[in-house]
Amino acid sequence: VQSVMSGMDASAALLANRTDCGYDSELNFDALLLGGYYCHTCLPEQDLTCDNGGLCSNVQWLGYTCDNEFLVSITNEKNVELSRADGSAVDPNTLILKYGVTYRFTVLENSMGVGLCSSFAEICAKKGPLFVSTNDRTVQQMSLNFEGKDDAALSIAMDFKISQIRGDSKKNGMNKGAMIGTVVAVVTGVFVVAIVVYRQKKRK
């Protein structure tokens, strides 16, 4: 799949949408790697490519990016900026974090030595990854604040749905109600049977 001239054959792009991943497929899996595909539906262990809940996107001949990974830069004016691993800027106002996903915010070293902390965990990072697990469905946003400061330096919205929380509560309530109803029915049934047995004995 590689070109003799440049080592990168543009025809490898034809492999992008191949989904015939079976063992008897004509697809050459080595060709995927040689064609610059490190994230592809036919490659094994795709669930291990990104942190929990993340989805990868291939960047041909360069690697891949994960939708749950961000680079965090702190400017000299103490502004916090987000970007993808490929360098593309991310507007935090358009970003919505999903529940049940582990996000990796890699804090880049800054000249002031300032660290960032997550509102979801009591951990901070001045340089390196800051892992954030979004499991609490009652929280409507996640914030990053400067170490030692309570004010949010950056806030990101969560995929918060009040209807889902109400639905879960209602569902849990129904389950409890069903359990109570079952207990009452059993107790009532035993009581009725006891009365019948008592009357039969009394007639004899």
Side-chain angles (χ1 to χ4, degrees):
V1 179
Q2 289 182 318
S3 170
V4 177
M5 295 295 293
S6 64
M8 300 180 182
D9 193 340
S11 64
L14 299 175
L15 300 173
N17 298 320
R18 293 285 294 271
T19 58
D20 48 330
C21 310
Y23 69 91
D24 57 346
S25 171
E26 296 180 356
L27 177 64
N28 186 337
F29 295 99
D30 290 334
L32 287 175
L33 297 177
L34 293 173
Y37 291 94
Y38 306 101
C39 169
H40 193 282
T41 187
C42 290
L43 292 177
E45 299 182 341
Q46 288 295 290
D47 58 325
L48 302 179
T49 303
C50 300
D51 292 309
N52 181 50
L55 298 176
C56 65
S57 297
N58 194 72
V59 181
Q60 200 165 11
W61 292 298
L62 295 177
Y64 59 86
T65 60
C66 295
D67 63 356
N68 60 340
E69 294 185 7
F70 303 92
L71 299 179
V72 185
S73 302
I74 302 175
T75 68
N76 292 332
E77 293 76 23
K78 286 192 175 181
N79 293 321
V80 179
E81 299 176 347
L82 294 183
S83 63
R84 298 284 183 183
D86 60 0
S88 59
V90 176
D91 182 357
N93 294 319
T94 63
L95 189 61
I96 298 179
L97 303 183
K98 298 179 180 179
Y99 294 101
V101 177
T102 298
Y103 288 89
R104 180 196 296 253
F105 295 89
T106 301
V107 181
L108 303 180
E109 187 175 15
N110 59 89
S111 59
M112 298 171 291
V114 177
L116 284 177
C117 307
S118 165
S119 60
F120 276 18
E122 296 180 356
I123 53 175
C124 303
K126 292 184 178 180
K127 179 183 178 182
L130 185 63
F131 293 97
V132 176
S133 297
T134 55
N135 296 319
D136 188 350
R137 292 181 178 271
T138 64
V139 178
Q140 300 185 40
Q141 68 176 14
M142 186 280 295
S143 62
L144 296 176
N145 55 286
F146 293 120
E147 192 172 6
K149 303 291 184 180
D150 294 330
D151 296 336
L154 179 72
S155 296
I156 304 175
M158 299 292 303
D159 187 18
F160 181 79
K161 294 182 177 63
I162 189 66
S163 58
Q164 182 170 349
I165 294 179
R166 290 175 177 172
D168 291 342
S169 299
K170 185 177 180 181
K171 182 178 179 181
N172 293 334
M174 289 177 63
N175 289 338
K176 292 179 181 178
M179 291 175 63
I180 295 174
T182 301
V183 172
V184 172
V186 171
V187 173
T188 303
V190 172
F191 181 70
V192 171
V193 171
I195 292 177
V196 172
V197 173
Y198 173 76
R199 287 180 177 176
Q200 289 178 346
K201 287 184 178 180
K202 187 174 183 180
R203 289 176 182 177
K204 292 179 180 180

